[in-house]
Amino acid sequence: SQTIHQWPATLVQPVGSPLSLECTVEGTSNPNLYWYRQAAGRGLQLLFYSVGIGQISSEVPQNLSASRPQDRQFILSSKKLLLSDSGFYLCAKSGGAYNEQFFGPGTRLTVL
Amino acid sequence: GENVEQHPSTLSVQEGDSAVIKCTYSDSASNYFPWYKQELGKRPQLIIDIRSNVGEKKDQRIAVTLNKTAKHFSLHITETQPEDSAVYFCAASGSGGSNYKLTFGKGTLLTVNP
């Protein structure tokens, strides 16, 4: 199964408020998990990736953080949101024999 | 690290024509090259991929070619239809210890006019 769940689907938050986005995946155990951000009309920016529980690599320094408390759970957080954090946040997974990467449905975040 | 360039950024074709999107990559050790289609407001969907041990792969109206010597790969869509309109992203895998990471091109907005 390539099923990936993300919630919430949409979110409107004020500047300076905290953030928690959750992603859970089904299928093979020990998947690689990823968080991407996509600004309106732009490309895919890799934010974090994880190859196992508690293992997080950051691609872009910023006010976001990620955690992987369980094998199939990946969380994106912020203590204080900035206007520039607005965007479409996509969780992705890869793994298995061919290591293809599949995306979740995304969370559309608007920071006002 | 890997760098992927994608051209053109926008492409407009008439229904029934062919469309070609080209990408180049920098890391000669990259060995996996997927293509994604993203419709407006939706997630990117994997539509076809190719690995470095083959030069061409076809799936119905879409095909991908790979030239490892020149470090470029292309997406070909034949007999385009309005539902092919979307943003298309190419990507390349990293090498060595980061071979699970994808580096994406900036995308091509394809418009198929009826």
Side-chain angles (χ1 to χ4, degrees):
Chain A
S1 170
Q2 307 302 343
T3 301
I4 302 172
H5 303 278
Q6 285 190 247
W7 61 90
T10 59
L11 189 61
V12 180
Q13 291 285 95
V15 169
S17 64
L19 173 74
S20 181
L21 302 181
E22 188 164 345
C23 170
T24 59
V25 304
E26 299 178 12
T28 57
S29 59
N30 198 33
N32 298 322
L33 298 176
Y34 311 82
W35 278 112
Y36 290 86
R37 176 170 62 199
Q38 187 175 35
R42 304 293 293 275
L44 297 158
Q45 180 187 32
L46 179 62
L47 302 175
F48 301 95
Y49 65 93
S50 171
V51 299
I53 296 174
Q55 300 179 62
I56 308 295
S57 296
S58 173
E59 288 293 294
V60 182
Q62 56 208 320
N63 68 323
L64 299 173
S65 62
S67 62
R68 184 170 177 175
Q70 300 180 43
D71 183 45
R72 296 190 176 96
Q73 185 184 30
F74 205 21
I75 297 172
L76 183 69
S77 304
S78 175
K79 293 182 178 178
K80 286 186 176 182
L81 284 169
L82 307 173
L83 286 174
S84 57
D85 290 324
S86 293
F88 192 36
Y89 287 82
L90 291 153
C91 178
K93 64 170 274 190
S94 68
Y98 297 100
N99 210 33
E100 296 101 330
Q101 196 167 127
F102 297 95
F103 288 86
T107 294
R108 195 163 302 281
L109 171 67
T110 303
V111 182
L112 301 174
Chain B
E2 175 70 279
N3 183 51
V4 176
E5 300 283 342
Q6 184 172 347
H7 299 279
S9 58
T10 61
L11 179 60
S12 181
V13 300
Q14 290 299 121
E15 183 177 359
D17 289 349
S18 295
V20 181
I21 302 170
K22 299 181 179 181
C23 290
T24 60
Y25 61 99
S26 61
D27 188 345
S28 57
S30 289
N31 58 7
Y32 175 59
F33 307 91
W35 286 87
Y36 290 83
K37 174 185 180 182
Q38 187 177 29
E39 297 176 352
L40 188 63
K42 302 287 184 62
R43 77 184 87 182
Q45 298 268 20
L46 177 65
I47 56 171
I48 196 168
D49 56 17
I50 192 167
R51 297 181 189 273
S52 58
N53 57 344
V54 297
E56 183 173 1
K57 183 176 178 181
K58 190 173 182 180
D59 183 4
Q60 298 181 21
R61 294 187 298 108
I62 60 174
V64 58
T65 58
L66 171 65
N67 183 327
K68 285 210 69 180
T69 302
K71 291 190 283 187
H72 66 70
F73 56 113
S74 301
L75 177 71
H76 304 254
I77 306 174
T78 59
E79 301 172 26
T80 54
Q81 302 167 3
E83 51 265 40
D84 294 329
S85 296
V87 177
Y88 291 81
F89 292 97
C90 64
S93 68
S95 59
S98 63
N99 61 356
Y100 37 76
K101 287 197 305 179
L102 293 176
T103 300
F104 285 88
K106 294 187 184 301
T108 296
L109 174 61
L110 173 65
T111 303
V112 180
N113 302 299

